[in-house]
Amino acid sequence: MNDSTTVARLTCDEPTARRLAAVLGESLDTEKAVCAAFVSADGAWQIAIHFRLPPDQAAVRALVKLAAHEEAAAAIRFEPVAAADWVRQSLAGLAPVRVGRFVVHGAHDRANVPTNAIAVEIEAGLAFGTGHHGTTRGCLAALDALTKRRRARNTLDIGTGSGVLAIATAKALRAAVVASDIDPSAVATARSNARLNRVASFLTFARAAGVTAPAIGRRRPYDLIFANILLGPLMRLAVPFARLSAPGACVVLSGLLPAQANGVIAIYQAQGLALTRRIVLAGWVTLVLQAPPHRRRAGLGGRKR
């Protein structure tokens, strides 16, 4: 790699950052460019795209315009940076996030975490997920409440990103977690974060779209399922999640705007899952649903427990 590379940066609102992170993550060739979305020290959301080779700036602006809007495409700026430093410099100022018993923090705040907290150290690197986003905080709030009432023995985390939810679950429950993501850089980052937090022995990682990874099917049924992703995949996963759920399992869904929540609830209710809690944080909705306590008909319940 050259001594300097190019980074494109954009300061924007949270929904735009979330949308751009999803679109750019799927559109960019990860061998040539990677994208990170994060909250800066002043509370503003930023997108940073690191290009290993000089980018076609017009093409990048066109992609940003398609994913967001013309103003975002015009505002994005390109600048040379030291090849190894851009992610570290971007994430160094992030403040810790506290949700219930959980504190998500970077290495720079390791010494400041309260001794009675469940500390999750995340160096987000090239994967989306520092704990600051409203969807992640909603899932952590759900996890904090659920683990006070029950103990899940087997958890699934779809769209794990940096691994924050999978790691938090493993730390709280000391039980098995299967975590997957469609993005290979996310899987690598999550696996590294699991080792950093000393819970790698509880976690199985897989690169997959949806629930297609063999490791997911082998470990069913699940007592707890997380999916912090996008509306389309959440709707398509209603039937698979019903099949993967143990009787009485909790399913936590996030990545939804308020206007989208009722439609998703209806689809999951049609599969027998009942809404037990709705969490709204920073304009995003997290839904907590519960599978029926009885055994489903053949083909939907997974193996016997």
Side-chain angles (χ1 to χ4, degrees):
M1 183 180 286
N2 298 329
D3 291 337
S4 65
T5 58
T6 301
V7 169
R9 301 183 189 275
L10 173 66
T11 300
C12 55
D13 56 65
E14 184 179 354
T16 300
R18 178 75 170 179
R19 187 164 59 252
L20 283 172
V23 173
L24 295 174
E26 294 181 358
S27 303
L28 296 173
D29 183 346
T30 56
E31 295 297 320
K32 299 177 181 178
V34 286
C35 178
F38 54 91
V39 183
S40 60
D42 62 3
W45 274 85
Q46 293 188 17
I47 289 284
I49 314 167
H50 177 210
F51 298 93
R52 294 181 170 89
L53 298 173
D56 181 339
Q57 296 189 18
V60 174
R61 291 187 190 278
L63 183 58
V64 172
K65 179 180 177 181
L66 182 65
H69 43 71
E70 189 169 355
E71 291 79 7
I76 195 167
R77 66 185 190 277
F78 295 81
E79 58 190 56
V81 295
D85 290 343
W86 74 278
V87 171
R88 177 183 56 80
Q89 293 173 0
S90 295
L91 297 177
L94 291 179
V97 175
R98 180 150 197 170
V99 182
R101 293 167 295 160
F102 299 103
V103 175
V104 185
H105 65 93
H108 54 287
D109 275 309
R110 187 181 300 161
N112 300 322
V113 177
T115 56
N116 63 341
I118 299 175
V120 180
E121 184 169 323
I122 297 293
E123 295 305 329
L126 307 180
F128 188 96
T130 59
H132 291 74
H133 197 273
T135 60
T136 308
R137 288 188 285 125
C139 289
L140 286 171
L143 176 63
D144 183 54
L146 291 170
T147 53
K148 289 176 180 177
R149 301 197 311 265
R150 56 186 293 170
R151 180 177 179 83
R153 294 175 292 175
N154 202 20
T155 298
L156 175 63
D157 179 23
I158 298 294
T160 194
S162 64
V164 59
L165 296 176
I167 293 166
T169 302
K171 283 202 158 192
L173 297 174
R174 312 303 291 180
V177 181
V178 178
S180 71
D181 202 287
I182 194 172
D183 183 354
S185 67
V187 174
T189 298
R191 185 177 286 117
S192 176
N193 283 328
R195 290 193 294 266
L196 176 66
N197 285 271
R198 300 181 180 180
V199 291
S201 62
F202 294 101
L203 287 151
T204 300
F205 291 100
R207 180 190 175 190
V211 295
T212 59
I216 294 175
R218 285 196 300 268
R219 298 292 292 273
R220 70 175 185 172
Y222 294 92
D223 308 298
L224 177 59
I225 296 177
F226 288 102
N228 180 12
I229 46 178
L230 300 173
L231 173 64
L234 284 177
M235 296 176 74
R236 292 192 294 271
L237 286 168
V239 172
F241 280 176
R243 290 174 175 163
L244 292 169
S245 296
C250 287
V251 177
V252 181
L253 309 177
S254 199
L256 298 167
L257 297 172
Q260 299 168 338
N262 287 342
V264 172
I265 292 168
I267 289 173
Y268 279 79
Q269 284 179 334
Q271 299 304 316
L273 282 83
L275 180 69
T276 61
R277 189 180 180 192
R278 186 191 305 239
I279 303 168
V280 181
L281 286 172
W284 294 89
V285 178
T286 298
L287 304 174
V288 183
L289 303 107
Q290 187 167 11
H294 54 78
R295 178 89 47 199
R296 296 180 182 83
R297 65 183 182 273
L300 292 181
R303 67 173 186 266
K304 293 183 178 179
R305 296 182 66 87

